[in-house]
Amino acid sequence: MARSGASAGTLITVAPTGAETAQADAPGLPVTIADLVATGQACQAAGAAVMHVHVRDDAGEPSLDVGRLRDTVAALRESTELIIQLSTGGAVSDSEADRLAVLEAEPDAASLTCGTVNFGADVFMNRWPFMVELYQRMQEREIVPEFELFDLGQVASMRRLIDTCGPPFGGHVHCDLVMGVPGGMPGTAQALVAAVAALPDGATFSATGVGRTTLPVALTALAAGGHLRVGMEDTLTFAPGEPVRDNAQLVARAGDLATLAGRPPMTPQDARVMLGVRDRTREPGPLAAGRR
Ligand code: KMH
Ligand code: ZN
């Protein structure tokens, strides 16, 4: 699909948990594997095709434990058809080594942020050598990257990465414009249009508007031929004064908007074709345990 053209359907990604919110502050936030499975099933039924996954430990704290990640991937594969995209961003305090090790859990896809950005009062660090290492490991493991772009400079860095290291596994470039983070690009129509104009030919994009920018970003993304990411990682308020009940509520609204725009939610199967995702239920990745 050309970057400005409309595709037949809308890819809806749900980002249900993130690393920044405690369940005590958002009761609908899924933190256990059982929570994530129930969320995956409800969100798939509501129109999601991809889940962007952060896991928590037994205390509900953000974790990059590879065993927990593997168990989560297995449980979601068993109980849903969703494309499982693990976060390699983790929490701002996570080490590069731990973030690289996420790939050992053999997800279908993984996030790859294309530069360092202020993240509220923190810094979300993504050095160029780290980006290259992460990208090359995804190529070796045949994991599809989703390029997370928090500002316009990161669009240029994504292009530099592809020019330097070659195309991603699957051959298709898909990115997510993460908008409205304090420190990144604003969640406005103008910023979205500027970012989309800078994408390489043939790339597809989703957009995520953090906090109160959710709706303007979603509406602009749909008008620009793009796809949607929604979820409690990004948005905890459904409407002014009304907390989000659960992730499926946000997915259902995104599906309604997409249908209204004439591009209803894409099935997980169609999304696999668009993104070039490998079917790991039939054949494990080339570096999966026991293969080499
Ligand atoms: N939690 C943020 C620091 C990603 O998942 O790849 C980073 C993040 C991006 O959420
Ligand atoms: Zn994330």
Side-chain angles (χ1 to χ4, degrees):
M1 186 194 84
R3 63 176 182 255
S4 56
S7 75
T10 300
L11 173 71
I12 298 181
T13 298
V14 61
T17 310
E20 285 75 35
T21 302
Q23 199 186 37
D25 297 327
L29 196 78
V31 294
T32 66
I33 295 179
D35 288 346
L36 284 170
V37 164
T39 296
Q41 290 172 331
C43 290
Q44 183 181 318
V50 177
M51 187 190 276
H52 168 82
V53 181
H54 289 251
V55 304
R56 301 290 176 99
D57 64 17
D58 289 339
E61 296 296 325
S63 170
L64 293 182
D65 178 77
V66 175
R68 177 66 62 113
L69 288 165
R70 274 187 198 283
D71 291 347
T72 305
V73 169
L76 288 168
R77 273 203 189 121
E78 177 84 28
S79 52
T80 75
E81 292 167 24
L82 295 169
I83 295 169
I84 311 304
Q85 179 199 100
L86 289 182
S87 166
T88 66
V92 289
S93 52
D94 285 321
S95 70
E96 291 182 350
D98 286 348
R99 292 170 60 191
L100 290 168
V102 165
L103 304 181
E104 292 168 23
E106 291 282 316
D108 301 312
S111 56
L112 191 165
T113 296
C114 290
T116 297
V117 63
N118 282 315
F119 196 80
D122 295 308
V123 175
F124 180 30
M125 185 69 82
N126 293 283
R127 300 178 314 119
W128 172 255
F130 171 72
M131 288 166 52
V132 170
E133 182 70 30
L134 185 58
Y135 187 59
Q136 290 177 333
R137 289 195 192 193
M138 285 192 205
Q139 287 173 317
E140 282 167 19
R141 286 188 175 271
E142 302 188 351
I143 293 169
V144 169
E146 177 176 280
F147 301 98
E148 307 271 339
L149 308 174
F150 287 71
D151 69 28
L152 200 51
Q154 294 190 10
V155 183
S157 293
M158 174 187 75
R159 297 186 71 135
R160 180 182 172 212
L161 190 62
I162 295 165
D163 288 347
T164 306
C165 302
F169 175 71
H172 178 72
V173 175
H174 180 76
C175 59
D176 183 42
L177 306 174
V178 187
M179 312 185 71
V181 169
M185 63 183 149
T188 60
Q190 292 86 344
L192 187 142
V193 168
V196 171
L199 295 178
D201 285 343
T204 50
F205 73 97
S206 300
T208 305
V210 170
R212 67 186 59 176
T213 71
T214 297
L215 282 173
V217 165
L219 292 166
T220 309
L222 287 169
H227 304 273
L228 303 177
R229 175 178 122 171
V230 295
M232 294 179 74
E233 173 167 347
D234 308 313
T235 310
L236 294 168
T237 304
F238 191 73
E242 184 186 341
V244 170
R245 185 182 65 237
D246 57 25
N247 282 283
Q249 183 187 29
L250 292 169
V251 172
R253 180 169 68 180
D256 288 345
L257 295 176
T259 300
L260 204 58
R263 289 189 294 121
M266 211 177 252
T267 64
Q269 194 45 43
D270 287 347
R272 278 176 196 276
V273 173
M274 182 181 96
L275 299 174
V277 168
R278 178 186 216 297
D279 185 352
R280 281 179 152 73
T281 58
R282 290 170 200 264
E283 170 82 356
L287 300 187
R291 290 208 90 212
R292 273 193 195 169

